[in-house]
Amino acid sequence: MRTRVLTLCLTGLLGCGGSEDDTTEVATPPGEASQAIRGSRVSFNGDIASDLLWREQSTGNMFIWVMQGPSLAGTMTLPALSPSFTVQAATDFGGPSTAPDLAYQAVTPGNEAIRYLSSTATVLGQAAIENLRPTPSWYIAASGDFNNDNRTDLVLHNRDTGQYFYRYMDGATSLGNSAIAYRPLPWFIVGAVDLSRDNRTDLIWRNKSTGQNEVAVMDNLSVLRTVPLPTLPLDFYLGATAEYSSDAHMDLVWHNPVTGQVVLWWMGATTVGSAHTLGTMGSNCPRWFSQSSPPPSVFGCRYLVGPR
């Protein structure tokens, strides 16, 4: 079972433990089905259990909670990523190894790319993503297979207008954009995953004013129905979407940086079956809402940034 991870970054120049010149360009194998789309597990260490990716924005350090279902089995360090980047999502872009893929972009549109890693977290190469964001107001909200072609796509959202669209992808190669859709702010896309189990990626929305949450069951850009999820205080943010309960349902993982609490929602399709505390990560750290803005850059404060 091939498992990889995509990490999307927002600001600065390449800095994963070295300069951009340390890597070579690698062509992305076309037509591979994404583990994050067709499977339900996203693993950093190559086993069958999904893991959790943490990021300290002030230093650029990243590390993994290696999970065994809902239990923490250990930790794993990833190459540091310059604090001039922010991590946006985690999924499979079909890199040259079974290891995670890292993708990044500068704050100014036009410098987006995917970085490929080996199973020992060394850099194998990189591939550019051309012309991804129209303006800096657009950000990468999440990833998934939106046109049902077995390839990972990106959903981009505009933090100022509420517009969103899909960039259909084949690895790092653009296949074009969807039409632009719209939902009024303060609703923001905070995740994308197939919760309804119909082999199509759904959108998870969160209200920045009220803490309400909702699943939009999607058929590409068509909203088939919406399903409310429990409301959470705004101290929580959605950090990961993958399977952690070994029941073939995709789950949601929330983090509260104020208390440090990490909470798994065991999902039964679009309903929450139960909640389970996975552990704690820090406390007394600033609130963070979503990928629409970078995590707070405070020394010692770590934020959950994937997989999603």
Side-chain angles (χ1 to χ4, degrees), residues 138-172:
W138 293 88
Y139 67 95
I140 300 167
S143 59
D145 181 10
F146 299 106
N147 59 347
N148 208 30
D149 66 352
N150 298 336
R151 297 173 177 89
T152 301
D153 308 313
L154 300 173
V155 55
L156 285 91
H157 189 235
N158 191 307
R159 65 174 64 87
D160 297 322
T161 67
Q163 295 171 299
Y164 64 97
F165 70 89
Y166 302 140
R167 167 61 64 87
Y168 304 123
M169 307 288 293
D170 182 1

Side-chain angles (χ1 to χ4, degrees), residues 196 198 202-203 215-219 222-227 270:
S196 58
D198 62 357
D202 306 315
L203 296 178
V215 179
V217 179
M218 306 296 293
D219 181 1
S222 298
V223 181
L224 302 181
R225 66 184 187 278
T226 58
V227 182
T270 57

